[in-house]
Amino acid sequence: GGQFLGAYLVDRQGIVRNAALPPQRRQAGASPLGADLSRTPLFRGLAGRASLWSDKHLSASSGEMVVGVAVRAGDWTVVGEVAPALLRETLATLTGSDQDALLVVDASGEWIADNAGGGERKENLGALPAVQAAFADGAGRIVADRGQEFFVGSARPQNIGW
């Protein structure tokens, strides 16, 4: 379904050599073939690693907010643009609606998903005391924010980096 907004086969120099796009993007005539991804944080961050997830960013090919994932195999890299809606749906499925509040932000504090169901947030959440506390110390503790107390803890999966 709509999990990926695009998948690209990228050569060692960072040039898109092949692409798989959903039907609506193919019909729109958008073609990322020949695009240079060599200077993007995702491609550059992959150096010395087998895979990497990006922070949320604006896709140069679709113009939509995406989370990128890259997997290297020999001289080739497969880059996928993941629809943030998939991450939100997965989180909602995993946590259910009666669980404690759960917030997923990338390494820069950009909102990725939560289980509150309020829709996408546009503002960067990195300045919130709860997010700062989670960035500073993964161990759980109580943090006051906007008149409420929150138990804040964090986990940073090494394979994602968020």
Side-chain angles (χ1 to χ4, degrees):
Q3 293 87 349
F4 284 92
L5 298 175
Y8 314 109
L9 183 62
V10 181
D11 68 18
R12 181 178 286 258
Q13 289 74 39
I15 307 300
V16 176
R17 297 300 178 187
N18 206 338
L21 302 172
Q24 66 273 22
R25 292 228 0 243
R26 284 194 305 268
Q27 292 169 355
S31 175
L33 296 181
D36 185 354
L37 303 182
S38 65
R39 308 290 285 158
T40 64
L42 181 59
F43 190 82
R44 293 178 77 183
L46 193 58
R49 301 176 76 166
S51 63
L52 180 67
W53 285 79
S54 76
D55 289 344
K56 187 169 72 171
H57 64 277
L58 188 63
S59 168
S61 64
S62 72
E64 297 182 47
M65 293 305 291
V66 298
V67 174
V69 58
V71 178
R72 184 160 304 185
D75 290 341
W76 297 95
T77 301
V78 176
V79 174
E81 293 182 337
V82 179
L86 171 66
L87 298 174
R88 287 191 294 278
E89 291 166 10
T90 301
L91 186 61
T93 299
L94 292 174
T95 63
S97 60
D98 59 342
Q99 300 293 316
D100 292 330
L102 183 62
L103 173 67
V104 178
V105 296
D106 66 20
S108 67
E110 291 293 328
W111 178 90
I112 300 294
D114 63 40
N115 63 346
E120 184 170 348
R121 296 179 181 212
K122 303 290 186 202
E123 75 275 12
N124 184 292
L125 304 177
L128 293 177
V131 175
Q132 288 181 348
F135 281 166
D137 181 15
R141 62 183 165 131
I142 301 293
V143 175
D145 188 7
R146 300 179 188 188
Q148 293 182 312
E149 287 189 338
F150 297 92
F151 180 78
V152 176
S154 67
R156 289 181 174 247
Q158 294 302 312
N159 59 337
I160 296 177
W162 293 339

